[in-house]
Amino acid sequence: MKYFLTLLILSLIFGCQPEKEDTEKPKVVFVIGDEEYRSEESMPMLAKILKREMGAEISLCFSVDSAGYIDPNRLDHIEGLEALKDADLMVMFARFRELPPEELKYITDYAESGRPMVGFRTATHTFLYKNDTTQKQMNNEWPTKVFGQQWITHHGHFEDGHGKLTEVSILPEADTPILNGVEPFEAYSWLYHVDGGDWKLAGDSKPFLEGRSLKSNHEMNGDLDKYPLTNPVAWTKTYTGTSGKASRVFFTTLGHPFDFKIENMRKLALNGIYWALGHEDEIPENGINAELTEPYEPNNSGFGNEFKTGIKPILIP
């Protein structure tokens, strides 16, 4: 009788214990510093979906002015990069930054650590150190070895934001869960050249999406032997830095602010993040739920004061 009473008491005690919190939720840090493509709007939108779907801990690092307002035109500062020290994933959407050494080190230390990375569009030219010769390798060499290519050229802006410029299709040999639920679509992004002519994707890059330029300056100039109308727009690769551990890398050259209005683009981005984190088994056949958490109406791409002013960095609890 005492034995059964003891079992009953233990079952009541342990049965009433609250479930342990899942402490394995990844920490994802978005590095946002691009003065052309409104990454200050698209990346927080993606981050909110990621928070809803994965429960990830999110840090958003923006270029800000001296008063703390988001200013993508400020090239020499991105706030909050220390979050990369214990991050599980770095998502990079930056363009031609010239960060001071102490800020740059957070990014390069992360890249060398063997942890995964995701890059969007202008991450092929994340940095531009014009005068500091000690950092010249960051301009072209670094993005090539880490993400797969440097800045080369594109097929032309044309109707920026007022028409779709790239037809996106799935390569026949493609076999990756990043494509789950992703159908061919037309993107607002003008096609970047990353492969063909004198250029090749670096390392073990494996393209799985191809873009076809619907309007092309290079076609008009008779340069298609150097810059063909079709080029990879998404790939995976690895990067092995000084840690000796291979990082998973997902990259796409798409990223016009209006591209992210398209569900297929959002699925591609979210699936890529899951894959980079090693959570590919969690990607359903129809892809990660890419339904928006709130209306997404970004400003169009463009330089100067085309971004929404007077906005301070947001926190995603």
Side-chain angles (χ1 to χ4, degrees):
M1 183 68 180
K2 288 183 178 179
Y3 173 75
F4 289 109
L5 185 59
T6 301
L7 284 178
L8 177 61
I9 293 170
L10 288 173
S11 67
L12 288 172
I13 292 173
F14 289 103
C16 294
Q17 294 297 311
E19 292 185 10
K20 290 183 179 180
E21 290 187 9
D22 184 0
T23 58
E24 300 302 318
K25 297 300 183 184
K27 179 178 180 180
V28 181
V29 177
F30 288 77
V31 180
I32 305 165
D34 141 66
E35 75 276 34
E36 183 177 10
Y37 293 111
R38 310 285 80 81
S39 56
E40 71 277 1
E41 297 194 64
S42 60
M43 293 298 99
M45 176 273 293
L46 275 183
K48 289 175 183 177
I49 299 175
L50 189 64
K51 177 70 175 183
R52 182 192 68 201
E53 295 302 312
M54 182 180 273
E57 179 185 343
I58 303 293
S59 292
L60 301 171
C61 304
F62 297 93
S63 293
V64 297
D65 63 19
S66 59
Y69 291 98
I70 294 173
D71 182 2
N73 290 325
R74 182 176 180 183
L75 307 180
D76 64 350
H77 175 56
I78 296 178
E79 189 172 77
L81 291 174
E82 60 272 11
L84 289 169
K85 289 192 291 185
D86 61 349
D88 297 299
L89 175 67
M90 178 174 70
V91 180
M92 177 71 73
F93 198 154
R95 180 184 186 278
F96 286 154
R97 303 292 106 170
E98 194 169 5
L99 301 179
E102 61 274 15
E103 292 186 18
L104 177 62
K105 191 174 187 299
Y106 288 123
I107 293 173
T108 54
D109 282 355
Y110 181 94
E112 297 302 304
S113 72
R115 288 171 285 170
M117 292 175 278
V118 167
F120 289 98
R121 198 153 175 85
T122 57
T124 59
H125 41 297
T126 297
F127 301 106
L128 181 58
Y129 287 91
K130 297 178 180 178
N131 301 312
D132 186 352
T133 58
T134 67
Q135 304 294 358
K136 288 289 187 180
Q137 76 282 357
M138 300 304 301
N139 298 349
N140 295 324
E141 180 184 337
W142 187 84
T144 300
K145 67 183 183 181
V146 172
F147 290 125
Q149 194 51 278
Q150 65 175 68
W151 163 244
I152 303 169
T153 186
H154 59 64
H155 283 265
H157 289 240
F158 296 99
E159 300 170 354
D160 185 358
H162 301 286
K164 295 177 180 178
L165 293 174
T166 299
E167 182 180 63
V168 179
S169 60
I170 298 170
L171 287 168
E173 67 275 16
D175 181 20
T176 172
I178 299 174
L179 287 172
N180 288 5
V182 178
E183 301 291 337
F185 64 100
E186 290 185 350
Y188 290 88
S189 292
W190 36 94
L191 183 66
Y192 274 14
H193 180 79
V194 295
D195 192 87
D198 295 332
W199 302 91
K200 293 294 179 186
L201 282 174
D204 58 355
S205 297
K206 296 178 182 177
F208 57 86
L209 281 182
E210 181 177 73
R212 179 177 179 83
S213 182
L214 300 176
K215 292 184 179 181
S216 171
N217 279 331
H218 296 298
E219 183 178 31
M220 295 174 185
N221 295 332
D223 288 335
L224 293 184
D225 55 332
K226 295 181 181 178
Y227 311 115
L229 285 176
T230 59
N231 239 242
V233 294
W235 58 85
T236 57
K237 69 182 295 292
T238 61
Y239 170 67
T240 302
T242 54
S243 71
K245 180 182 176 183
S247 304
R248 277 189 169 199
V249 179
F250 161 69
F251 196 92
T252 177
T253 58
L254 303 173
H256 188 282
F258 295 170
D259 286 349
F260 291 100
K261 291 184 174 184
I262 303 167
E263 185 180 20
N264 281 301
M265 178 65 190
R266 299 197 302 273
K267 279 186 181 286
L268 171 68
L270 292 164
N271 289 354
I273 288 172
Y274 269 67
W275 174 88
L277 281 165
H279 288 227
E280 60 265 41
D281 292 343
E282 299 176 24
I283 304 174
E285 288 187 9
N286 62 345
I288 300 301
N289 176 16
E291 183 179 351
L292 294 167
T293 62
E294 58 191 31
Y296 172 66
E297 295 296 336
N299 283 10
N300 198 358
S301 62
F303 296 106
N305 292 318
E306 298 297 320
F307 65 98
K308 293 172 183 172
T309 59
I311 297 176
K312 289 205 170 183
I314 64 169
L315 297 175
I316 300 178

